[in-house]
Amino acid sequence: MLENAWLIPLIPAISFVVILAFGKRLPAKGAEVGIGAIGVSFVLAMVAVVQWVGRDEPREAVERHLTWWKVGGVDIGAGIHVDGLTVMMLVVVTFISLLVQVYSTGYMEGDRRYTYFFAALSLFTASMLMLVVADNTLQLLVGWELVGVCSFMLIGHWWEEEANSSAAIKAFLTTRTGDVGLMLGVITLFFAAGQNFDIANLNRMAINGDISHGLLLTGAALLFLGVMGKSAQFPLHVWLPDAMAGPTPVSALIHAATMVVAGVYLVARIYGVFWSGFSIGDGGINLIAIIGGITVIIAAALAFVQDDIKKVLAYSTISQLGYMVMALGVGAWTAGVFHLFTHAFFKALLFLGSGSLIHAVHSNNMSEMGGMRKKMPTTFWTFMVGSMALAGIPPLAGFWSKDEIINGASHGFELFMVVGLLGAFMTAAYMTRAVYLVFFGEYRGHAHPHESPPAMAWPLKILGVLSVVGGLVGTAIVGDTWRFAHWMRFDVPGAKEIVEEHAFNLPVATLSVAVGLIGIGIAAGYYLRNMFPRGAAEKSGLVRLGYKVLVNKYYLDNLYIDGIVRTIQYPIAKAAYWINQNVIDGVVNGVGIGTRKTAQVVYDVVDQKVIDGAVNGAGFTAEEGGIVLRQTQTGRVQTYAAVLFGASALIAVGLVLFT
Amino acid sequence: MLAAAAAATSFKAPSLDYHALAPEIVLTATLLLVLVADLFASEDQKWLVANLAGFGLLATMVPIVTLALSGGSHVRSMIGGSYVVDDFSLVLKGLFIVVGYVVCLMAHRYVEEGDYYEGEFYFLLLCSILGMVVMASARDLITIFVALETLSIPGYILAGWRKRDLKSNEASLKYYLLGVMASAVMLYGMSLIFGFTGSTLLTDIGTAINAPGPNGGHQAVVTVGILFIIVGFAFKVSAVPFHAWAPDTYEGAPTPVTAFLSVASKTGGFVALFELVYVGFFGRSDVWGPLFGILAVLSMTVGNLIALRQTNIVRMLAYSSIAQAGFILIPFAVAGTSPRAAQSALTASIVYLLVYAAMNLGAFSVVIAVARKTRSGEISSYGGLFEYAPGLAVLMTIFMFSLAGIPPLAGAWAKIFVFRAVLDAGTGWAVALGVVAAVNSVIGLFYYSSVARQMWMTPVPDGDRTPVAVPAPLVAALGITVSVVLAIGVYPQAFARLGELASG
Amino acid sequence: MLSVAILLPIIGAVVLAALPKGREEILKAWALLVTLATAGVGVYLLVAFDYAKSGQLQFTVNTEWIPVINSRYHIGIDGISLPMLILSMVITVLCVIYSWDHFPEPHNPKAFLILMLLLETGMNGTFAAEDLILFFVFFELVLLPMYFMIGVWGGPNRQYAAIKFFLYTLFGSALMILAFLALYFKGGETFDIPLLIAQGGTIGHSTQVLIFAGLFMGFAIKVPMFPFHTWLPDAHTEAPTVGSVILAAVLLKLGTYGFIRIAIPILPDAAMTWAPWIGLLAVIGIIYGALGCLAQKDMKRLIAFSSVAHMGFVMLGIATLTSFGINAAVFGMVAHGLITGMLFFIAGSVQERFNTREISRLGGLLLQAPRLGWVLGFCVFASLGLPGLAGFWGEFPAILASYQPAQGLQLWVFRTYMVVASIGTVFAAGYLLWMLQRVAFGTAKTEFEKSHIHDIHIPEYIAWTPLLLGIVALGIFPSLLFHVTDKAVTVVTSGVTQLASAR
Amino acid sequence: MVPENIAFGLMAAAMVGAGFRLVTTKNVVRAALYLAVVLGGVAGIFVLLGSEFVAWVQVLVYIGAIVVLLLFGVMLTRAPIGKEGDLDNDQRWTAALVALFVLGALASVLADAWGTQKIKFQGVQRTAAVSDSIFGTYVVPFEVASVLLLAALVGAVALARRD
Amino acid sequence: MYLNQFLMLAAVLFAMGVYGVLARKNGVLVLMSIELMLNAVNINLVAFGAFNNTVAGQTFALFVIAIAAAEVGVGLAIILLIFRNRASVDIDEIDAMRG
């Protein structure tokens, strides 16, 4: 299967065409085609994993390629490069995609563009898989752009509302801005590697120092621009929250599990370049880590002040992506990839969960939810699992990967360890807030919530399970051969080993768990306790007197809470959010508007007046000249005669003088 | 005394080559015949006169062809070289005859229906053509002068042929007065040249002018003489600043006459210039080189610019013909740089003349045809012509864009040959001249295409869509001209070869 | 055989002129027949073309034409001309089909079709000509028909647009013919392009630069490059649909083709001198065209401006003087032909359905005519250079090439261009998606809510399918085109490379 | 050589005077008479230069025919005899300027070219010589000229005849 | 006798003629002025003939005289025509066509 991994992207591609062609006429409106195809791909992907793990050491990446096109003696190949990273991605993508499609049959039921939706999903999956198997940067670029388009189509799925289409455009443009960097980076590296797009070769040359550091740095920096766009890293993260305008399954698939991690994948895939480009090996701080770190904190802070549940998750996604990027930035390659792996499950779970909530209450706003615990048990439990996994509560999936990252950072990148811990704390806190607002307290909405249909419930359950056990792959429990770090290594044939492993480190682990729990604690305390005085305030004055002390106590309590938590959370978060909306986002939108304005000016003034004016002006002067010259034609023969004689004499004198 | 007496007694008649003179003789016979026939033909037989003239012209072609076939290369020179028949003169004589014939076709109904004198009309037309035919062979000042007057004076008269029309009178008067003044200037110049060289024979003049030394041909008096002579013909070819008569005369004169003046007599002027410049004054290119340069640039630019503003089609064509004259003058400006340049310059001018004759006559034929219906010379009256007379519209379009010089129509080749001559000379000034010409060819497009625009893109001014009845002779004229234009367009070699022969 | 491809349409036109005006069906059928026959010849050429020797001229005819100026009827095609030739043939056929049952007003199919056939002769001839004068004649031959197409069947402001188009192009070609003649005298008294390529290098540098300037004016105006572009939006906006399609798909290519076929191979030295400036104008054009687009209110005008930007990429590719760049340019020419041609078709259909192209009045096309809407979307993405569709292979390699232009050109200059150009791609996405959003997304404006909008109908299907297929096919298998052009391009750049090696 | 010079002086003076009055007089008929004087002077000059034949032709054709013709013209166009309003248009000064400019140019050029060269007098040229050259060297223009005169005649009649 | 004394006389006459044709508005007077110019030319021709001792000068002069006669005839015809149509021979009033 490894040799024929190209089949895995091909099948969904075909299904895309099929659905587009016949989808509408099929009994299930094309859903079955999509699901069937992706199912097959999933199976194949699993086979691939097994085969890969089953290979004997050292595992050589499987490469196959053929000439795609050829210009001026340089031939550009298309092909596949299959190794641990690839197969892992293959599985994740196909699996999540499968579940999401199943889920969508329920969620999207009766949608006017049901078929198109599935077609788009198929296309997306195909492109994503193609991106994953690509063995050269050009092909990767192609897949990269294609997923971008699919995300555009799917975000704007309900394009009747302008908000949605605008969000779609914003997403596309922002990522494409990053892609400029990517494209230029690809080009730079193409020439750096001697007119060659091949990734393995690129890594090798990078690590062996066959490429000047300057070029590598440029290339890496440019590529990272693309990463920032795609993986929503600060400051190009602004598009992701808006992207929540799309249907929730889409958010789960594209904006949580797969597409947004393409950036991370890219870094991981071409790690050699980044590693030597940013000289990560030497420790200290570097662009990747910094951006990752900033993103972790900023996004987490922003997650506090969201009312829209999907936005909460979106920011959390951004922050988690920040983790991954940071991990790669601090040389914890395996950890980053591992987090990518686990995060896919629980974040997809959370999104699908939120999806089922939204499906039930017909609103994204947590202010219109509450008390869902009883109404939607499945959703509740799975969501809880997801949140805890995200918060990094052992032994859930999130714990292992996040711990590994923090652990990795602790070797030479202490600063980022702190960041990681702070992030963990905040993550735990905002998730708790979300969970509280959604599931506890009274229902504040107007719809009549009910548990979602099985098509939606089952994926939740499956993902729930995986969120629990998924992390164990990283431990010795699964046996040494199957241990993640064992078959998931970054090794380039003909180049030295650059990624070193770090043994499980209990203090760090406990620390991270601790901050997580504290976060939950504080948040829970804040939200749960605060109820009582409010509740009490409704009661009669007598009671109010009797409660004096208690109240006083809770004065302290409140004081403490207000004094500390609020100052920590709200103002900072609010400030951050304000900056986010008005500065960063403002800049992004401003750029858009500004361009339009300049365009208008340029067009009206430069084009129509100056350039066009110049030309028409020439014509005008010609006409004017005509008018003036006409005056000489007085119609009086003797004037003509005067000209005749005068001119003759004049020219005569002139010629005599000048010859 | 005795010497004089001896000279008196010993007169021997000059040996004339009658084969070489055959075209002139036939033509003269024809015009006399026309005159006589006119006397005896009753009103309803006048059509016979026109046909007579036509046939006479065709008959004149016969000796021209036989001469061309009888060893075209060998030159028949008479009377000490004052009258020469060679390829150059034959090609141009042929041109004059054909043009004359086409004009006859154009004039046929026009004169008939306007009940103007017919016999006299054709008689004068033929006289003028005779003058041109003689001009093509003339190689000495007196012959050139006589030929010039012979082709001009009938023109003065014909311009006023619509006697009751004030405009026609005016046209005639202006043309006459300015023409006579110009020829006075020219005569003065000729007298100076004659005085300096002591001969009227161009070849002698050439040698005398080339003479070096303090009394050599570089003297101011020669300069002025050459200038004045050239002025005389610059007037004929309506080159700015001696163009002023052209628009008024063209507008006022009967349209066939206008066509005749704008093509035939203009060509006549150019022929004279060829002879004078290339045979007589070649040594003084420092005089005529810049002079023609100035004339060319002025003619092109002024002609084009004023043409932009015209609303009357004939007047527009008048200015256009001024601009075209400018183009034909360009090669003269660069001819002096080298014999080779002179060669290609002459070719260019002649080719341009051939092409210009075809397309301009065509344009005027259409004007006549359309005027038969609209009774108006305003460009606006061409609105929607394509709707009710697509044939005429297409023809006019072809002629207009040919004049503008759009490939693959004949006009483009004419311009290409001019550019070629310019770049062959290769001097900085030459190239500059070429660029000016290029720019002017673009300006020209402006007003030529405006006619096309009227015909194709604007509605009929008065919703009258009755088709235009085009009489047979006019159809013939159109047929000849358009086929020439297209033929040159597709296969320029034919005419280019003629031009080369003539200049060879 | 090549001559047939050139002459068939004009003969057809003559016959058409003879056919009775009233019998429209016959006229259309005949026109279609002729164009199809021509396309058939094209197919024959495709089959008989020896791809192994795509670097050399094939199907050459070389007979005497105008000995006086030593200009010959010399035609032939190589790997560069072939695709362009096929493009023009296909486009013409599709245009005839498209206009099958909706001819623009004033309704006069006969004249319209005649003009179309004349156009085809001109275009095919230009792409096949191997003699400067011949090239010039065909190059100009397309002027008149297009002038009338715009001027007679165009929009409200058609006369202005038509004459503007005409004057601009003529101005360029006036200088161009001067340059040609200069080449004739400096390049050994011949107009034969291959011969000139052989001898062109011998011309002195300063002379080369001057001559190149002349050629540049001629071609740059046709392309059109900033700042000679202002005729384009007007011409496109006013022209009838078919007119703009041909204009965009083929006519603009005549300019770039001229650069590749004549200017660069004959005058490599001057090309080196001019390349940075051409590149500069190209990138200005890219950004400028994009800004122009963003400022438009009229759908068609927007597409027209996008052409300025796209041709900017093509010219950038050419300016690099590298095999990559020029291959990209040729690819870009074809791709732009297909894509923008499609976009103009759509704009025309929209115009026809809504009687307006004003973006602000449109909306919800996807609701009223889903298929049309999706096709529009597809073309938009193709046009903004989405990988996997044709547009990408015109842009990306061009940008790629400008990273490392021909030896002897300033690296930093072209790398700056590279950056600017790649930013241009974002703009492209910007204005195209903005247009898509306004036109296709959302819901119909009140004025059109009720009106029944016909979705794509048969002639449109027939006319568009080949283009769409072409866009996809070329997008997925760029080698379809690259392996044809590559060798020919190496011939083009040989002069430059020799110079570089000489340095 | 004195007599010739005296004769020339007198004639020249007369001609210039007459010529001046011709272009300035307020009376058309007088103008015609002044013209006659000038033409006569020209004939005299011809005699001085030993070209008798031309001189006689001058007298016959010009004074005998053209002046009469012009007088007829004057009569036919009913120009009143005796003083009348101005016969000049409004560009008199321009005209004077141009005329003087032309004169200056010509005079300077002529002076430069022939300074003080004398005419070596070879005696009267016999009419025979003239006729020889006309019927010998210039026979073609002569014939053509005859056609021209015919054309002029016919044309003039056609134009002038009342109908 | 100096050649130039004749030439100068001719030049003066010519200039007078120029003045006449430019300044006179009566058509007939303009014709007369033209004759003045032509006679100047004739003086030149004859003088040069004598100077160069060739008879061509006289011949030329004869041709000029003959043709001048023809021109005057035509000229008068035209002027008569105009006089008949507009009862005036003031040629500076004749400017119907201009521009």
Side-chain angles (χ1 to χ4, degrees), chain E residues 67-87:
Chain E
I67 288 170
E71 282 180 342
V72 174
V74 173
L76 275 174
I78 294 173
I79 287 175
L80 278 176
L81 185 60
I82 286 176
F83 180 79
R84 189 174 303 135
N85 284 337
R86 39 189 311 150

Side-chain angles (χ1 to χ4, degrees), chain C residues 141-166:
Chain C
L141 179 57
V142 301
L143 276 187
L144 286 175
M146 190 42 80
Y147 169 74
F148 284 112
M149 242 186 209
I150 299 173
V152 179
W153 289 273
N157 198 5
R158 57 186 189 278
Q159 299 193 6
Y160 170 72
I163 190 67
K164 196 172 181 183
F165 158 77
F166 206 160

Side-chain angles (χ1 to χ4, degrees), chain C residues 417-432:
Chain C
Y417 295 164
M418 169 179 78
V419 177
V420 179
S422 45
I423 292 170
T425 60
V426 181
F427 282 164
Y431 59 75
L432 284 164

Side-chain angles (χ1 to χ4, degrees), chain A residues 349-583:
Chain A
L349 168 58
L350 287 171
F351 266 110
L352 293 185
S354 67
S356 106
L357 286 165
I358 294 165
H359 193 62
V361 304
H362 306 299
S363 162
N364 290 7
N365 298 341
M366 298 191 283
S367 53
E368 296 181 29
M369 299 178 185
M372 290 294 161
R373 189 164 75 260
K374 306 177 205 58
K375 293 196 176 63
M376 307 176 67
T378 328
T379 313
F380 170 61
W381 286 116
T382 48
F383 200 91
M384 283 305 285
V385 171
S387 325
M388 286 161 72
L390 176 57
I393 305 303
L396 299 179
F399 162 70
W400 301 104
S401 49
K402 187 177 293 183
D403 169 59
E404 256 193 64
I405 294 174
I406 296 169
N407 180 8
S410 68
H411 297 75
F413 297 90
E414 287 68 18
L415 166 61
F416 295 103
M417 187 177 86
V418 178
V419 172
L421 291 171
L422 183 52
F425 164 75
M426 297 170 79
T427 314
Y430 66 69
M431 279 321 292
T432 320
R433 165 175 178 268
V435 168
Y436 164 76
L437 287 175
V438 173
F439 291 100
F440 297 86
E442 294 307 312
Y443 176 54
R444 299 181 290 278
H446 315 295
H448 305 292
H450 51 80
E451 187 52 85
S452 304
M456 291 166 67
W458 273 108
L460 293 177
K461 294 173 184 158
I462 298 170
L463 283 170
V465 174
L466 280 169
S467 308
V468 177
V469 302
L472 300 176
V473 186
T475 66
I477 301 168
V478 292
D480 193 46
T481 29
W482 278 94
R483 198 163 60 78
F484 194 79
H486 182 70
W487 52 270
M488 172 67 63
R489 332 168 47 84
F490 181 80
D491 41 14
V492 183
K496 67 177 196 295
E497 188 81 19
I498 55 168
V499 177
E500 73 273 20
E501 281 203 50
H502 307 296
F504 180 73
N505 177 332
L506 194 57
V508 176
T510 28
L511 196 55
S512 64
V513 177
V515 292
L517 291 174
I518 295 169
I520 296 177
I522 293 176
Y526 171 68
Y527 288 108
L528 293 171
R529 293 278 170 64
N530 238 9
M531 309 290 300
F532 299 140
R534 275 187 227 129
E538 268 88 63
K539 299 206 171 64
S540 69
L542 274 172
V543 183
R544 206 180 301 121
L545 278 170
Y547 266 106
K548 205 69 170 172
V549 182
L550 293 173
V551 174
N552 286 339
K553 180 188 173 205
Y554 288 111
Y555 274 142
L556 295 174
D557 203 354
N558 291 358
L559 192 69
Y560 154 68
I561 300 289
D562 300 352
I564 304 185
V565 180
R566 291 194 180 198
T567 41
I568 293 176
Q569 294 181 332
Y570 271 65
I572 297 175
K574 279 247 167 60
Y577 188 61
W578 185 86
I579 292 172
N580 186 65
Q581 295 311 79
N582 299 310
V583 180

Side-chain angles (χ1 to χ4, degrees), chain B residues 7-8 117 140 150 163 200 221, chain D residues 109 128 132 138 144 158-159 161 163:
Chain B
Y117 302 128
D140 91 330
T150 316
K163 289 166 65 178
T200 61
V221 64
Chain D
V109 170
D132 287 1
Y138 302 109
V144 176
L159 277 190
R161 125 164 149 222
D163 53 5

Side-chain angles (χ1 to χ4, degrees), chain B residues 2-337:
Chain B
L2 287 174
T9 50
S10 66
F11 169 71
K12 33 187 174 350
S15 68
L16 295 177
D17 174 345
Y18 286 97
H19 186 196
L21 287 172
E24 289 81 349
I25 295 166
V26 176
L27 199 51
T28 318
T30 313
L31 61 88
L32 292 173
L33 209 58
V34 166
L35 193 56
V36 177
D38 180 48
L39 290 180
F40 294 115
S42 63
E43 270 310 315
D44 53 0
Q45 297 168 324
K46 294 287 187 189
W47 58 269
L48 187 143
V49 181
N51 299 356
L52 196 56
F55 288 127
L57 286 166
L58 294 183
T60 319
M61 277 309 277
V62 176
I64 293 178
V65 173
T66 56
L67 281 167
L69 297 181
S70 68
S73 63
H74 121 278
V75 179
R76 299 156 177 270
S77 166
M78 277 171 281
I79 323 170
S82 70
Y83 200 79
V84 177
V85 176
D86 55 8
D87 291 329
F88 168 82
S89 50
L90 284 177
V91 168
L92 288 157
K93 286 180 186 190
L95 173 62
F96 288 129
I97 299 298
V98 174
V99 170
Y101 183 69
V102 173
V103 171
C104 285
L105 290 175
M106 291 162 68
H108 190 287
R109 287 294 175 79
Y110 188 94
V111 184
E112 194 173 292
E113 291 164 3
D115 68 63
Y116 311 116
Y117 302 128
E118 282 185 68
E120 291 82 351
F121 181 89
Y122 293 105
F123 168 74
L124 290 170
L125 198 63
L126 292 175
C127 288
S128 184
I129 294 171
L130 175 65
M132 298 164 187
V133 171
V134 172
M135 182 66 90
S137 290
R139 294 292 184 279
D140 91 330
L141 293 180
I142 293 181
T143 321
I144 290 177
F145 164 65
V146 173
L148 175 67
E149 293 300 332
T150 316
L151 72 88
S152 306
I153 290 180
Y156 306 149
I157 301 162
L158 288 175
W161 209 243
R162 282 157 53 207
K163 289 166 65 178
R164 286 169 227 73
D165 175 8
L166 286 180
K167 281 192 165 187
S168 184
N169 303 158
E170 181 174 348
S172 176
L173 178 76
K174 285 176 172 172
Y175 188 25
Y176 167 81
L177 284 179
L178 289 168
V180 175
M181 294 175 198
S183 50
V185 173
M186 177 197 72
L187 277 171
Y188 196 94
M190 282 183 169
S191 74
L192 289 182
I193 293 297
F194 166 69
F196 181 82
T197 60
S199 163
T200 61
L201 206 57
L202 291 183
T203 45
D204 301 354
I205 293 173
T207 44
I209 278 178
N210 280 327
N215 302 345
H218 60 276
Q219 290 189 24
V221 64
V222 179
T223 314
V224 174
I226 293 175
L227 168 69
F228 277 14
I229 296 177
I230 290 179
V231 166
F233 293 101
F235 163 86
K236 246 298 108 297
V237 305
S238 67
V240 182
F242 311 110
H243 66 291
W245 62 277
D248 301 358
T249 305
Y250 286 8
E251 184 182 348
T255 320
V257 177
T258 308
F260 184 71
L261 294 181
S262 72
V263 174
S265 74
K266 191 185 279 270
T267 313
F270 274 110
V271 172
L273 282 177
F274 293 141
E275 289 150 357
L276 292 163
V277 167
Y278 287 94
V279 183
F281 310 145
F282 196 76
R284 290 302 304 275
S285 57
D286 61 329
V287 176
W288 49 262
L291 172 58
F292 282 122
I294 298 165
L295 292 181
V297 171
L298 283 179
S299 308
M300 287 187 295
T301 318
V302 174
N304 273 331
L305 290 184
I306 304 188
L308 287 177
R309 305 293 311 166
Q310 297 308 320
T311 58
N312 177 307
I313 182 103
V314 179
R315 209 168 169 79
M316 188 274 271
L317 282 171
Y319 283 108
S320 115
S321 83
I322 293 172
Q324 300 283 351
F327 274 99
I328 309 176
L329 283 168
I330 293 175
F332 285 97
V334 299
T337 48

Side-chain angles (χ1 to χ4, degrees), chain C residues 300-314:
Chain C
K300 211 169 168 188
R301 207 171 171 81
L302 187 148
I303 302 170
F305 259 100
S306 80
S307 296
V308 177
H310 285 110
M311 296 317 272
F313 279 104
V314 175

